[in-house]
Amino acid sequence: MTWPVRKVARKAGVVSWVGSPGEMSHNTWIHRLVRLGVKPLARTRITPNHLTSLRLLTGMTAAGLIATGARPWAALGGVMFIASFLLDRADGELARLSGKHSPSGHRFDLFSDALANSLAFVAIGIGLRDGNSLGYWAMPLGALAGIAIALNLWLVMAIEEIKGVRAAELGSLCGFDADDATLMLPVALWLGWDVPTIVLASICAPLFTVWASWHFTRLYRLSRSPFADLYQPAPSSRSSDMQPAVLRPVEQSRAQSSRS
């Protein structure tokens, strides 16, 4: 891609990056750990959707345990939340190892993420309804955080409809993905940090929703503008990955037109 086109594209906001996509890594420490357990399943009849369904079930179970407000049950809910998180990693690993991946499976995965994670924060708010400084205010705070998290995942799917699959994912750092931070939720439960966790989530999650909404609105308007023909989904270099949309290099376009 020539420098003028690159500069115009960045200023226009067609994409937030040009060239190599800044998608999440599939070789983080947690991915490597989960891969060891998933590898024997690659040649069985077990599909990624089976693991996603189990992830959803364990996530809902975790939320139910946390909502009791009883410390032992909430601690067990934290364990179930970790199991649900690992299953979320496992379904993607199984899809890559077995080649059993599909757009519908990816959407089911995002839906399960949204429901499991949002229910966890709603459950914390319900569990804190008595015997703490927040009182019954904990429930609307938990609901606010949960709704914002669900909206964030919906916006991810909406952005992917414009820019391509996995285009809205954040990058990795030091062998950890951005959403690995959700593993701090059970730790907070075990340490009794429920109140600061729900207060922080009720602030940060809606702020991220505002940013994601602005980003989606900009992309939507741009997709209907004259700049829309400057980008298209890039073909995947690996059969197991679905790459986000990137700008098509001008040189490649000229080469194709000259051959025709």
Side-chain angles (χ1 to χ4, degrees):
M1 179 180 302
T2 60
W3 177 80
V5 173
R6 184 189 300 267
K7 183 177 180 181
V8 171
R10 286 188 181 277
K11 286 187 176 181
V14 175
V15 289
S16 57
W17 40 261
V18 178
S20 300
E23 62 178 293
M24 291 172 65
S25 169
H26 299 305
N27 199 34
T28 65
W29 297 110
I30 297 177
H31 281 101
R32 296 175 189 176
L33 175 65
V34 169
R35 192 175 299 140
L36 296 175
V38 170
K39 201 169 184 179
L41 303 177
R43 296 185 178 181
T44 67
R45 293 185 178 182
I46 297 176
T47 68
N49 282 348
H50 291 150
L51 297 185
T52 303
S53 299
L54 188 58
R55 182 271 202 274
L56 183 58
L57 179 61
T58 53
M60 295 174 67
T61 302
L65 292 170
I66 295 170
T68 63
R71 189 61 59 188
W73 291 113
L76 180 58
V79 175
M80 293 296 293
F81 185 87
I82 292 177
S84 180
F85 178 88
L86 294 177
L87 285 167
D88 178 43
R89 289 289 185 262
D91 60 8
E93 284 301 313
L94 182 58
R96 281 180 283 277
L97 291 172
S98 64
K100 300 173 183 176
H101 54 82
S102 66
S104 61
H106 178 63
R107 287 192 291 269
F108 181 37
D109 181 44
L110 288 177
F111 169 78
S112 300
D113 291 348
L115 188 58
N117 292 337
S118 61
L119 284 179
F121 286 95
V122 172
I124 292 177
I126 295 174
L128 289 173
R129 61 190 179 277
D130 295 315
N132 65 85
S133 56
L134 293 177
Y136 278 88
W137 280 104
M139 290 193 290
L141 290 180
L144 176 62
I147 292 172
I149 290 170
L151 284 175
N152 292 338
L153 269 297
W154 180 85
L155 286 167
V156 166
M157 290 188 284
I159 290 172
E160 288 183 347
E161 288 294 322
I162 297 176
K163 293 180 63 177
V165 176
R166 302 194 182 281
E169 290 181 345
L170 301 176
S172 302
L173 180 64
C174 299
F176 293 96
D177 281 337
D179 63 346
D180 289 346
T182 56
L183 285 175
M184 295 304 297
L185 178 62
V187 175
L189 292 174
W190 296 334
L191 295 177
W193 296 349
D194 315 51
V195 172
T197 297
I198 202 64
V199 171
L200 188 63
S202 66
I203 296 173
C204 295
L207 287 177
F208 188 85
T209 303
V210 171
W211 175 84
S213 300
W214 169 81
H215 187 53
F216 168 71
T217 302
R218 184 184 63 169
L219 289 174
Y220 179 77
R221 290 176 177 173
L222 187 62
S223 68
R224 303 172 66 87
S225 74
F227 287 101
D229 59 354
L230 289 178
Y231 67 98
Q232 67 176 14
S236 175
S237 59
R238 294 176 294 175
S239 60
S240 58
D241 287 339
M242 294 176 287
Q243 299 291 349
V246 296
L247 288 177
R248 181 173 58 185
V250 172
E251 292 84 354
Q252 180 181 345
S253 302
R254 291 174 177 171
Q256 291 175 348
S257 61
S258 63
R259 284 196 297 268
S260 61

